[in-house]
Structures are given as C-alpha cells and as structure tokens.
Amino acid sequence: MRPLRIGIQLPEVERDVRWPEYLAMARAADAAGFDSIWLGDHLLYRGDGRPERGPWEAWTLLAALAAATERVTLGPLVACAAFHPPGLIAKMAATVDEVSGGRFVLGLGAGWNETEFRAFGLPYDRRVSRFEEAFAIVRGLLAGERVTVAGAHWQADDAVLLPAPGRRTPLMIGSNGPRVLRATLPHVDAWNTWWDAYGNTAEGFAALDARVTDAAREAGRAPSEVERSACVLVVLDRSARERPASPQAPPLEGSPERIAAGLRELAEAGADEAILVVSPITERSIRALAEVVALV
C-alpha cells in the first residue's frame, strides 16, 4: 500500500472569502504538511432553498496560489470542461503548471449544475458528448501532440501548445459515470470521487473502487496505473454548519487520532489520496489538522 497523500479543499461557497484569507489558508496548508490544495470550479448556485452564491473564478485563483506557495500540489476539484474551449483549458493548465514549477494536476469533469450553465449562457445538453470531444483535445495537447479534431461540438485545427510545456500535466477524472470513465480511463493518471458518492466510509469507497478497477481493466489499463483519490467530509465543529452531512454519509469527526484512523482505513480500502472537505474551512482548521496529517 502506497503512503496516503492528504489534500484539502479551500472554501467555495461556505461563506464570502476574500483573497487575503485564501492566501493565508494556502500558506497554512503548505506549512502544515498537506500534500495538495484544491479549488472547486463553479460559477453560481441558486434555487436550493439557500441564498444565491458563487465562488471566485477558479483558474485565476489557482494561478495566484501557484505563485504564492512553494511545496503543495494544486488543482481544480474538478474543472468543468464545458466552461472554456478545450484548447484554452489545455493552455491554462500548462501555464499554471509552469507558474507552480510542476505542481499542478488537471482535474476534469463534465459539470452537473444546470443553473450555472443557463445563467452564464453555456449549453447544458449532450454534456457527455461535449466532454468526450473536449477531453480528446485537452489530452492530446497536454501530451505534446498537434491536435486536429472536427467534432460536432468542439473543433481544433492543427492546435499545439507553445511555448512547449516543461512536462506533461497529470490528468485526474472526477466522475463515476460509466461513459465518462470509458472515455478517460485509458489516459488519465488518477480518478477522484466526492464524499457522498461512497457514503464517506471506507467500506463504501472499497465498493466504488472495485467498480473503477473493473472499468480500468475494460479500458485496457492495469488498475494500478490509475491512482484513486477520495474527497472526505471532515467536521471539526458541528455548530459551524458549513457542510451539512446526511445520514447516508456521516462525517469523519472526533479527535485527531480518530480522524487519522479513519483516513488510514480509507487507504486500506484502496485510496492513494484523501482530499479533506472540512467544516468549518478556516486557517485555524487547517493548522489544527496538521496533527492529523502527521499521524496518517
């Protein structure tokens, strides 16, 4: 079993967070021993019974944090392939990787929140078909290829990334959909799942991980070639109510030793990486979790 890497998701829409706090939290994670920091890629939430809210633009924040940190890996959790032309996504990924000194991972997904698609004038139909074409362009460009794609939704005509990237940016797919997995598992370096997709338990993750193992084999990959990344809901203070849990996905909580033990159980179930989704997510929380990171 490989050592478990520990990442943390920075705030998205839990509250109104400004740049100085993002910077402080990212630097705290760098100092506390976390392996990675992640930002959600969304535009707007509304219509769920809560006030409408939205995060800052993820790619701009990632570039800024890449320049402001020294050690941690950074990435979107996950970038929506429908928000930008795919050639531009590849260009942005290569640029952030350059700024970070090779500490960037491109997490990609097809998107799900119809509200933000409609609000920002983005087509929501045929999302998986659009994703498949976008992924082919992004993957090819980041692999150093000259890419020509004449798709129904996206096109590229002898596209190439210049300046040439210093390395191939790692790819992570954030989806459990069979069709998306078929399109991406032949090529990606890692697969990620959100905490409520497996019930936030080691047993639930093991069952979902087995499905991904089967899908990797069907895609012609050795399962060990695709790393497994799991988001984990961690509650430090129930009164904060930043991330409501559900009976179907109980949070990981308790003493540092208990949280560390839960993460070790996740590693035994097959996870290579645990990305903590913390309530509340503050600089103080990140510094408090340094003890957990050291115990895993």
Side-chain angles (χ1 to χ4, degrees), residues 32-67:
F34 281 92
D35 296 294
S36 56
I37 57 177
W38 302 84
L39 294 174
D41 183 25
H42 284 283
L43 306 174
L44 179 69
Y45 292 93
R46 65 158 67 114
D48 58 358
R50 293 190 285 170
E52 64 179 4
R53 60 214 182 277
W56 297 105
E57 199 282 315
W59 286 94
T60 309
L61 272 182
L62 284 166
L65 293 174

PDB file of all heavy atoms in Angstrom, residues 32-67:
ATOM      1  N   ALA A  32       1.633  23.238   7.031  1.00  0.00           N
ATOM      2  CA  ALA A  32       1.117  22.187   7.916  1.00  0.00           C
ATOM      3  C   ALA A  32       1.419  20.779   7.424  1.00  0.00           C
ATOM      4  O   ALA A  32       1.111  19.811   8.117  1.00  0.00           O
ATOM      5  CB  ALA A  32      -0.393  22.353   8.090  1.00  0.00           C
ATOM      6  N   GLY A  33       1.963  20.642   6.228  1.00  0.00           N
ATOM      7  CA  GLY A  33       2.322  19.321   5.725  1.00  0.00           C
ATOM      8  C   GLY A  33       1.331  18.705   4.772  1.00  0.00           C
ATOM      9  O   GLY A  33       1.509  17.547   4.354  1.00  0.00           O
ATOM     10  N   PHE A  34       0.273  19.426   4.424  1.00  0.00           N
ATOM     11  CA  PHE A  34      -0.648  18.900   3.419  1.00  0.00           C
ATOM     12  C   PHE A  34       0.097  18.706   2.097  1.00  0.00           C
ATOM     13  O   PHE A  34       1.017  19.462   1.762  1.00  0.00           O
ATOM     14  CB  PHE A  34      -1.824  19.853   3.219  1.00  0.00           C
ATOM     15  CG  PHE A  34      -2.877  19.746   4.273  1.00  0.00           C
ATOM     16  CD1 PHE A  34      -2.823  20.558   5.403  1.00  0.00           C
ATOM     17  CD2 PHE A  34      -3.921  18.834   4.155  1.00  0.00           C
ATOM     18  CE1 PHE A  34      -3.792  20.460   6.392  1.00  0.00           C
ATOM     19  CE2 PHE A  34      -4.889  18.733   5.135  1.00  0.00           C
ATOM     20  CZ  PHE A  34      -4.824  19.546   6.259  1.00  0.00           C
ATOM     21  N   ASP A  35      -0.335  17.711   1.355  1.00  0.00           N
ATOM     22  CA  ASP A  35       0.292  17.440   0.060  1.00  0.00           C
ATOM     23  C   ASP A  35      -0.291  18.284  -1.060  1.00  0.00           C
ATOM     24  O   ASP A  35       0.377  18.508  -2.076  1.00  0.00           O
ATOM     25  CB  ASP A  35       0.130  15.952  -0.302  1.00  0.00           C
ATOM     26  CG  ASP A  35       0.865  15.053   0.666  1.00  0.00           C
ATOM     27  OD1 ASP A  35       2.109  15.116   0.688  1.00  0.00           O
ATOM     28  OD2 ASP A  35       0.203  14.313   1.408  1.00  0.00           O
ATOM     29  N   SER A  36      -1.543  18.737  -0.914  1.00  0.00           N
ATOM     30  CA  SER A  36      -2.187  19.437  -2.024  1.00  0.00           C
ATOM     31  C   SER A  36      -3.290  20.347  -1.515  1.00  0.00           C
ATOM     32  O   SER A  36      -3.833  20.149  -0.426  1.00  0.00           O
ATOM     33  CB  SER A  36      -2.771  18.432  -3.028  1.00  0.00           C
ATOM     34  OG  SER A  36      -3.673  17.539  -2.388  1.00  0.00           O
ATOM     35  N   ILE A  37      -3.635  21.354  -2.349  1.00  0.00           N
ATOM     36  CA  ILE A  37      -4.788  22.206  -2.113  1.00  0.00           C
ATOM     37  C   ILE A  37      -5.612  22.245  -3.390  1.00  0.00           C
ATOM     38  O   ILE A  37      -5.075  22.202  -4.497  1.00  0.00           O
ATOM     39  CB  ILE A  37      -4.398  23.633  -1.669  1.00  0.00           C
ATOM     40  CG1 ILE A  37      -3.493  24.311  -2.697  1.00  0.00           C
ATOM     41  CG2 ILE A  37      -3.719  23.605  -0.307  1.00  0.00           C
ATOM     42  CD1 ILE A  37      -3.134  25.737  -2.349  1.00  0.00           C
ATOM     43  N   TRP A  38      -6.934  22.351  -3.218  1.00  0.00           N
ATOM     44  CA  TRP A  38      -7.857  22.213  -4.348  1.00  0.00           C
ATOM     45  C   TRP A  38      -8.934  23.288  -4.279  1.00  0.00           C
ATOM     46  O   TRP A  38      -9.343  23.704  -3.187  1.00  0.00           O
ATOM     47  CB  TRP A  38      -8.516  20.826  -4.324  1.00  0.00           C
ATOM     48  CG  TRP A  38      -7.512  19.721  -4.376  1.00  0.00           C
ATOM     49  CD1 TRP A  38      -6.829  19.184  -3.318  1.00  0.00           C
ATOM     50  CD2 TRP A  38      -7.044  19.048  -5.544  1.00  0.00           C
ATOM     51  NE1 TRP A  38      -5.975  18.198  -3.760  1.00  0.00           N
ATOM     52  CE2 TRP A  38      -6.081  18.100  -5.119  1.00  0.00           C
ATOM     53  CE3 TRP A  38      -7.354  19.129  -6.897  1.00  0.00           C
ATOM     54  CZ2 TRP A  38      -5.425  17.256  -6.000  1.00  0.00           C
ATOM     55  CZ3 TRP A  38      -6.711  18.291  -7.780  1.00  0.00           C
ATOM     56  CH2 TRP A  38      -5.758  17.357  -7.335  1.00  0.00           C
ATOM     57  N   LEU A  39      -9.400  23.697  -5.445  1.00  0.00           N
ATOM     58  CA  LEU A  39     -10.472  24.680  -5.554  1.00  0.00           C
ATOM     59  C   LEU A  39     -11.590  24.124  -6.419  1.00  0.00           C
ATOM     60  O   LEU A  39     -11.331  23.574  -7.499  1.00  0.00           O
ATOM     61  CB  LEU A  39      -9.961  25.975  -6.191  1.00  0.00           C
ATOM     62  CG  LEU A  39      -8.929  26.784  -5.405  1.00  0.00           C
ATOM     63  CD1 LEU A  39      -8.432  27.938  -6.266  1.00  0.00           C
ATOM     64  CD2 LEU A  39      -9.521  27.311  -4.107  1.00  0.00           C
ATOM     65  N   GLY A  40     -12.834  24.280  -5.965  1.00  0.00           N
ATOM     66  CA  GLY A  40     -13.965  23.920  -6.807  1.00  0.00           C
ATOM     67  C   GLY A  40     -14.072  24.867  -7.997  1.00  0.00           C
ATOM     68  O   GLY A  40     -13.708  26.045  -7.899  1.00  0.00           O
ATOM     69  N   ASP A  41     -14.574  24.358  -9.114  1.00  0.00           N
ATOM     70  CA  ASP A  41     -14.747  25.171 -10.321  1.00  0.00           C
ATOM     71  C   ASP A  41     -16.234  25.307 -10.606  1.00  0.00           C
ATOM     72  O   ASP A  41     -16.827  24.491 -11.311  1.00  0.00           O
ATOM     73  CB  ASP A  41     -14.034  24.523 -11.507  1.00  0.00           C
ATOM     74  CG  ASP A  41     -14.125  25.363 -12.783  1.00  0.00           C
ATOM     75  OD1 ASP A  41     -14.305  26.595 -12.671  1.00  0.00           O
ATOM     76  OD2 ASP A  41     -14.028  24.793 -13.882  1.00  0.00           O
ATOM     77  N   HIS A  42     -16.840  26.345 -10.034  1.00  0.00           N
ATOM     78  CA  HIS A  42     -18.257  26.614 -10.245  1.00  0.00           C
ATOM     79  C   HIS A  42     -18.464  28.104 -10.455  1.00  0.00           C
ATOM     80  O   HIS A  42     -17.566  28.919 -10.200  1.00  0.00           O
ATOM     81  CB  HIS A  42     -19.096  26.104  -9.070  1.00  0.00           C
ATOM     82  CG  HIS A  42     -19.274  24.624  -9.087  1.00  0.00           C
ATOM     83  ND1 HIS A  42     -20.157  23.985  -9.942  1.00  0.00           N
ATOM     84  CD2 HIS A  42     -18.660  23.647  -8.380  1.00  0.00           C
ATOM     85  CE1 HIS A  42     -20.084  22.679  -9.752  1.00  0.00           C
ATOM     86  NE2 HIS A  42     -19.193  22.443  -8.813  1.00  0.00           N
ATOM     87  N   LEU A  43     -19.651  28.459 -10.926  1.00  0.00           N
ATOM     88  CA  LEU A  43     -19.964  29.842 -11.265  1.00  0.00           C
ATOM     89  C   LEU A  43     -21.079  30.429 -10.418  1.00  0.00           C
ATOM     90  O   LEU A  43     -21.031  31.593 -10.048  1.00  0.00           O
ATOM     91  CB  LEU A  43     -20.350  29.936 -12.750  1.00  0.00           C
ATOM     92  CG  LEU A  43     -19.345  29.359 -13.746  1.00  0.00           C
ATOM     93  CD1 LEU A  43     -19.927  29.398 -15.152  1.00  0.00           C
ATOM     94  CD2 LEU A  43     -18.016  30.092 -13.673  1.00  0.00           C
ATOM     95  N   LEU A  44     -22.090  29.609 -10.111  1.00  0.00           N
ATOM     96  CA  LEU A  44     -23.261  30.138  -9.416  1.00  0.00           C
ATOM     97  C   LEU A  44     -24.096  28.999  -8.850  1.00  0.00           C
ATOM     98  O   LEU A  44     -24.285  27.973  -9.504  1.00  0.00           O
ATOM     99  CB  LEU A  44     -24.122  30.950 -10.399  1.00  0.00           C
ATOM    100  CG  LEU A  44     -25.404  31.571  -9.858  1.00  0.00           C
ATOM    101  CD1 LEU A  44     -25.079  32.700  -8.877  1.00  0.00           C
ATOM    102  CD2 LEU A  44     -26.264  32.099 -11.018  1.00  0.00           C
ATOM    103  N   TYR A  45     -24.593  29.190  -7.619  1.00  0.00           N
ATOM    104  CA  TYR A  45     -25.580  28.293  -7.031  1.00  0.00           C
ATOM    105  C   TYR A  45     -26.827  29.105  -6.688  1.00  0.00           C
ATOM    106  O   TYR A  45     -26.733  30.183  -6.095  1.00  0.00           O
ATOM    107  CB  TYR A  45     -25.053  27.666  -5.739  1.00  0.00           C
ATOM    108  CG  TYR A  45     -23.912  26.698  -5.909  1.00  0.00           C
ATOM    109  CD1 TYR A  45     -22.595  27.131  -5.811  1.00  0.00           C
ATOM    110  CD2 TYR A  45     -24.148  25.349  -6.118  1.00  0.00           C
ATOM    111  CE1 TYR A  45     -21.539  26.241  -5.933  1.00  0.00           C
ATOM    112  CE2 TYR A  45     -23.100  24.445  -6.237  1.00  0.00           C
ATOM    113  CZ  TYR A  45     -21.803  24.896  -6.144  1.00  0.00           C
ATOM    114  OH  TYR A  45     -20.770  24.017  -6.268  1.00  0.00           O
ATOM    115  N   ARG A  46     -27.980  28.570  -7.025  1.00  0.00           N
ATOM    116  CA  ARG A  46     -29.249  29.177  -6.613  1.00  0.00           C
ATOM    117  C   ARG A  46     -30.355  28.130  -6.742  1.00  0.00           C
ATOM    118  O   ARG A  46     -30.169  27.081  -7.347  1.00  0.00           O
ATOM    119  CB  ARG A  46     -29.576  30.422  -7.445  1.00  0.00           C
ATOM    120  CG  ARG A  46     -29.822  30.165  -8.912  1.00  0.00           C
ATOM    121  CD  ARG A  46     -30.644  31.303  -9.561  1.00  0.00           C
ATOM    122  NE  ARG A  46     -29.959  32.563  -9.646  1.00  0.00           N
ATOM    123  CZ  ARG A  46     -29.613  33.140 -10.815  1.00  0.00           C
ATOM    124  NH1 ARG A  46     -29.873  32.532 -11.971  1.00  0.00           N
ATOM    125  NH2 ARG A  46     -29.027  34.304 -10.820  1.00  0.00           N
ATOM    126  N   GLY A  47     -31.494  28.430  -6.142  1.00  0.00           N
ATOM    127  CA  GLY A  47     -32.651  27.563  -6.301  1.00  0.00           C
ATOM    128  C   GLY A  47     -32.653  26.341  -5.427  1.00  0.00           C
ATOM    129  O   GLY A  47     -33.400  25.397  -5.677  1.00  0.00           O
ATOM    130  N   ASP A  48     -31.808  26.320  -4.374  1.00  0.00           N
ATOM    131  CA  ASP A  48     -31.764  25.161  -3.482  1.00  0.00           C
ATOM    132  C   ASP A  48     -32.259  25.502  -2.086  1.00  0.00           C
ATOM    133  O   ASP A  48     -31.939  24.813  -1.123  1.00  0.00           O
ATOM    134  CB  ASP A  48     -30.345  24.592  -3.421  1.00  0.00           C
ATOM    135  CG  ASP A  48     -29.320  25.623  -2.959  1.00  0.00           C
ATOM    136  OD1 ASP A  48     -29.704  26.786  -2.719  1.00  0.00           O
ATOM    137  OD2 ASP A  48     -28.136  25.262  -2.828  1.00  0.00           O
ATOM    138  N   GLY A  49     -33.039  26.587  -1.990  1.00  0.00           N
ATOM    139  CA  GLY A  49     -33.570  26.979  -0.705  1.00  0.00           C
ATOM    140  C   GLY A  49     -32.651  27.859   0.107  1.00  0.00           C
ATOM    141  O   GLY A  49     -33.015  28.306   1.205  1.00  0.00           O
ATOM    142  N   ARG A  50     -31.452  28.115  -0.414  1.00  0.00           N
ATOM    143  CA  ARG A  50     -30.500  28.990   0.263  1.00  0.00           C
ATOM    144  C   ARG A  50     -30.252  30.216  -0.595  1.00  0.00           C
ATOM    145  O   ARG A  50     -30.549  30.220  -1.790  1.00  0.00           O
ATOM    146  CB  ARG A  50     -29.185  28.248   0.535  1.00  0.00           C
ATOM    147  CG  ARG A  50     -29.327  27.120   1.553  1.00  0.00           C
ATOM    148  CD  ARG A  50     -27.969  26.587   1.967  1.00  0.00           C
ATOM    149  NE  ARG A  50     -27.378  25.745   0.922  1.00  0.00           N
ATOM    150  CZ  ARG A  50     -26.110  25.316   0.940  1.00  0.00           C
ATOM    151  NH1 ARG A  50     -25.317  25.687   1.924  1.00  0.00           N
ATOM    152  NH2 ARG A  50     -25.657  24.543  -0.017  1.00  0.00           N
ATOM    153  N   PRO A  51     -29.690  31.282  -0.033  1.00  0.00           N
ATOM    154  CA  PRO A  51     -29.408  32.474  -0.842  1.00  0.00           C
ATOM    155  C   PRO A  51     -28.477  32.126  -2.007  1.00  0.00           C
ATOM    156  O   PRO A  51     -27.619  31.240  -1.886  1.00  0.00           O
ATOM    157  CB  PRO A  51     -28.720  33.416   0.152  1.00  0.00           C
ATOM    158  CG  PRO A  51     -29.165  32.958   1.501  1.00  0.00           C
ATOM    159  CD  PRO A  51     -29.335  31.472   1.385  1.00  0.00           C
ATOM    160  N   GLU A  52     -28.643  32.813  -3.139  1.00  0.00           N
ATOM    161  CA  GLU A  52     -27.752  32.538  -4.265  1.00  0.00           C
ATOM    162  C   GLU A  52     -26.331  32.953  -3.896  1.00  0.00           C
ATOM    163  O   GLU A  52     -26.105  33.910  -3.161  1.00  0.00           O
ATOM    164  CB  GLU A  52     -28.225  33.242  -5.537  1.00  0.00           C
ATOM    165  CG  GLU A  52     -28.235  34.740  -5.502  1.00  0.00           C
ATOM    166  CD  GLU A  52     -28.708  35.305  -6.837  1.00  0.00           C
ATOM    167  OE1 GLU A  52     -29.090  34.540  -7.731  1.00  0.00           O
ATOM    168  OE2 GLU A  52     -28.708  36.553  -6.957  1.00  0.00           O
ATOM    169  N   ARG A  53     -25.369  32.217  -4.412  1.00  0.00           N
ATOM    170  CA  ARG A  53     -23.982  32.405  -4.023  1.00  0.00           C
ATOM    171  C   ARG A  53     -23.085  31.858  -5.117  1.00  0.00           C
ATOM    172  O   ARG A  53     -23.498  31.005  -5.913  1.00  0.00           O
ATOM    173  CB  ARG A  53     -23.694  31.716  -2.687  1.00  0.00           C
ATOM    174  CG  ARG A  53     -23.957  30.217  -2.725  1.00  0.00           C
ATOM    175  CD  ARG A  53     -24.485  29.710  -1.392  1.00  0.00           C
ATOM    176  NE  ARG A  53     -24.672  28.247  -1.457  1.00  0.00           N
ATOM    177  CZ  ARG A  53     -25.751  27.681  -1.977  1.00  0.00           C
ATOM    178  NH1 ARG A  53     -26.733  28.403  -2.481  1.00  0.00           N
ATOM    179  NH2 ARG A  53     -25.860  26.362  -1.998  1.00  0.00           N
ATOM    180  N   GLY A  54     -21.860  32.319  -5.150  1.00  0.00           N
ATOM    181  CA  GLY A  54     -20.914  31.841  -6.149  1.00  0.00           C
ATOM    182  C   GLY A  54     -19.494  32.087  -5.689  1.00  0.00           C
ATOM    183  O   GLY A  54     -19.230  33.013  -4.924  1.00  0.00           O
ATOM    184  N   PRO A  55     -18.553  31.260  -6.147  1.00  0.00           N
ATOM    185  CA  PRO A  55     -17.150  31.420  -5.767  1.00  0.00           C
ATOM    186  C   PRO A  55     -16.412  32.334  -6.748  1.00  0.00           C
ATOM    187  O   PRO A  55     -16.926  32.692  -7.805  1.00  0.00           O
ATOM    188  CB  PRO A  55     -16.613  29.987  -5.869  1.00  0.00           C
ATOM    189  CG  PRO A  55     -17.405  29.399  -7.002  1.00  0.00           C
ATOM    190  CD  PRO A  55     -18.779  30.042  -6.933  1.00  0.00           C
ATOM    191  N   TRP A  56     -15.200  32.688  -6.387  1.00  0.00           N
ATOM    192  CA  TRP A  56     -14.321  33.362  -7.327  1.00  0.00           C
ATOM    193  C   TRP A  56     -13.956  32.402  -8.455  1.00  0.00           C
ATOM    194  O   TRP A  56     -14.058  31.178  -8.313  1.00  0.00           O
ATOM    195  CB  TRP A  56     -13.050  33.840  -6.630  1.00  0.00           C
ATOM    196  CG  TRP A  56     -13.278  34.857  -5.563  1.00  0.00           C
ATOM    197  CD1 TRP A  56     -13.226  34.644  -4.210  1.00  0.00           C
ATOM    198  CD2 TRP A  56     -13.624  36.230  -5.740  1.00  0.00           C
ATOM    199  NE1 TRP A  56     -13.515  35.803  -3.534  1.00  0.00           N
ATOM    200  CE2 TRP A  56     -13.760  36.803  -4.456  1.00  0.00           C
ATOM    201  CE3 TRP A  56     -13.830  37.042  -6.861  1.00  0.00           C
ATOM    202  CZ2 TRP A  56     -14.084  38.141  -4.260  1.00  0.00           C
ATOM    203  CZ3 TRP A  56     -14.153  38.380  -6.668  1.00  0.00           C
ATOM    204  CH2 TRP A  56     -14.282  38.910  -5.387  1.00  0.00           C
ATOM    205  N   GLU A  57     -13.497  32.950  -9.556  1.00  0.00           N
ATOM    206  CA  GLU A  57     -13.131  32.135 -10.723  1.00  0.00           C
ATOM    207  C   GLU A  57     -11.917  31.272 -10.370  1.00  0.00           C
ATOM    208  O   GLU A  57     -10.881  31.778  -9.924  1.00  0.00           O
ATOM    209  CB  GLU A  57     -12.839  33.042 -11.924  1.00  0.00           C
ATOM    210  CG  GLU A  57     -12.886  32.347 -13.260  1.00  0.00           C
ATOM    211  CD  GLU A  57     -11.623  31.545 -13.520  1.00  0.00           C
ATOM    212  OE1 GLU A  57     -10.512  32.065 -13.279  1.00  0.00           O
ATOM    213  OE2 GLU A  57     -11.751  30.375 -13.944  1.00  0.00           O
ATOM    214  N   ALA A  58     -12.036  29.969 -10.565  1.00  0.00           N
ATOM    215  CA  ALA A  58     -11.059  29.020 -10.029  1.00  0.00           C
ATOM    216  C   ALA A  58      -9.683  29.131 -10.681  1.00  0.00           C
ATOM    217  O   ALA A  58      -8.654  29.065  -9.990  1.00  0.00           O
ATOM    218  CB  ALA A  58     -11.592  27.597 -10.192  1.00  0.00           C
ATOM    219  N   TRP A  59      -9.635  29.285 -12.002  1.00  0.00           N
ATOM    220  CA  TRP A  59      -8.343  29.287 -12.679  1.00  0.00           C
ATOM    221  C   TRP A  59      -7.494  30.489 -12.280  1.00  0.00           C
ATOM    222  O   TRP A  59      -6.271  30.379 -12.120  1.00  0.00           O
ATOM    223  CB  TRP A  59      -8.546  29.253 -14.186  1.00  0.00           C
ATOM    224  CG  TRP A  59      -8.975  27.923 -14.692  1.00  0.00           C
ATOM    225  CD1 TRP A  59     -10.243  27.478 -14.907  1.00  0.00           C
ATOM    226  CD2 TRP A  59      -8.117  26.829 -15.043  1.00  0.00           C
ATOM    227  NE1 TRP A  59     -10.231  26.186 -15.375  1.00  0.00           N
ATOM    228  CE2 TRP A  59      -8.948  25.764 -15.466  1.00  0.00           C
ATOM    229  CE3 TRP A  59      -6.742  26.651 -15.048  1.00  0.00           C
ATOM    230  CZ2 TRP A  59      -8.436  24.547 -15.891  1.00  0.00           C
ATOM    231  CZ3 TRP A  59      -6.223  25.436 -15.466  1.00  0.00           C
ATOM    232  CH2 TRP A  59      -7.064  24.395 -15.876  1.00  0.00           C
ATOM    233  N   THR A  60      -8.127  31.644 -12.112  1.00  0.00           N
ATOM    234  CA  THR A  60      -7.389  32.837 -11.708  1.00  0.00           C
ATOM    235  C   THR A  60      -6.807  32.650 -10.312  1.00  0.00           C
ATOM    236  O   THR A  60      -5.637  32.982 -10.049  1.00  0.00           O
ATOM    237  CB  THR A  60      -8.311  34.064 -11.738  1.00  0.00           C
ATOM    238  OG1 THR A  60      -8.965  34.126 -13.001  1.00  0.00           O
ATOM    239  CG2 THR A  60      -7.526  35.338 -11.522  1.00  0.00           C
ATOM    240  N   LEU A  61      -7.633  32.094  -9.391  1.00  0.00           N
ATOM    241  CA  LEU A  61      -7.145  31.830  -8.037  1.00  0.00           C
ATOM    242  C   LEU A  61      -6.009  30.803  -8.046  1.00  0.00           C
ATOM    243  O   LEU A  61      -5.025  30.942  -7.314  1.00  0.00           O
ATOM    244  CB  LEU A  61      -8.281  31.328  -7.153  1.00  0.00           C
ATOM    245  CG  LEU A  61      -9.139  32.361  -6.428  1.00  0.00           C
ATOM    246  CD1 LEU A  61     -10.174  31.648  -5.568  1.00  0.00           C
ATOM    247  CD2 LEU A  61      -8.294  33.292  -5.580  1.00  0.00           C
ATOM    248  N   LEU A  62      -6.144  29.761  -8.859  1.00  0.00           N
ATOM    249  CA  LEU A  62      -5.098  28.738  -8.906  1.00  0.00           C
ATOM    250  C   LEU A  62      -3.770  29.326  -9.363  1.00  0.00           C
ATOM    251  O   LEU A  62      -2.709  28.986  -8.820  1.00  0.00           O
ATOM    252  CB  LEU A  62      -5.521  27.599  -9.836  1.00  0.00           C
ATOM    253  CG  LEU A  62      -6.557  26.635  -9.262  1.00  0.00           C
ATOM    254  CD1 LEU A  62      -7.148  25.762 -10.367  1.00  0.00           C
ATOM    255  CD2 LEU A  62      -5.944  25.751  -8.171  1.00  0.00           C
ATOM    256  N   ALA A  63      -3.807  30.200 -10.360  1.00  0.00           N
ATOM    257  CA  ALA A  63      -2.568  30.821 -10.832  1.00  0.00           C
ATOM    258  C   ALA A  63      -1.934  31.673  -9.737  1.00  0.00           C
ATOM    259  O   ALA A  63      -0.714  31.649  -9.530  1.00  0.00           O
ATOM    260  CB  ALA A  63      -2.852  31.658 -12.077  1.00  0.00           C
ATOM    261  N   ALA A  64      -2.788  32.425  -9.019  1.00  0.00           N
ATOM    262  CA  ALA A  64      -2.262  33.252  -7.938  1.00  0.00           C
ATOM    263  C   ALA A  64      -1.668  32.399  -6.824  1.00  0.00           C
ATOM    264  O   ALA A  64      -0.583  32.692  -6.298  1.00  0.00           O
ATOM    265  CB  ALA A  64      -3.369  34.148  -7.391  1.00  0.00           C
ATOM    266  N   LEU A  65      -2.357  31.332  -6.448  1.00  0.00           N
ATOM    267  CA  LEU A  65      -1.866  30.466  -5.380  1.00  0.00           C
ATOM    268  C   LEU A  65      -0.624  29.687  -5.808  1.00  0.00           C
ATOM    269  O   LEU A  65       0.238  29.379  -4.981  1.00  0.00           O
ATOM    270  CB  LEU A  65      -2.973  29.507  -4.940  1.00  0.00           C
ATOM    271  CG  LEU A  65      -4.165  30.164  -4.246  1.00  0.00           C
ATOM    272  CD1 LEU A  65      -5.262  29.140  -3.989  1.00  0.00           C
ATOM    273  CD2 LEU A  65      -3.747  30.845  -2.947  1.00  0.00           C
ATOM    274  N   ALA A  66      -0.523  29.383  -7.098  1.00  0.00           N
ATOM    275  CA  ALA A  66       0.675  28.707  -7.597  1.00  0.00           C
ATOM    276  C   ALA A  66       1.914  29.568  -7.375  1.00  0.00           C
ATOM    277  O   ALA A  66       3.005  29.058  -7.066  1.00  0.00           O
ATOM    278  CB  ALA A  66       0.515  28.382  -9.078  1.00  0.00           C
ATOM    279  N   ALA A  67       1.744  30.873  -7.541  1.00  0.00           N
ATOM    280  CA  ALA A  67       2.875  31.783  -7.360  1.00  0.00           C
ATOM    281  C   ALA A  67       3.157  32.063  -5.891  1.00  0.00           C
ATOM    282  O   ALA A  67       4.261  32.513  -5.545  1.00  0.00           O
ATOM    283  CB  ALA A  67       2.600  33.099  -8.091  1.00  0.00           C
TER     284      ALA A  67
END
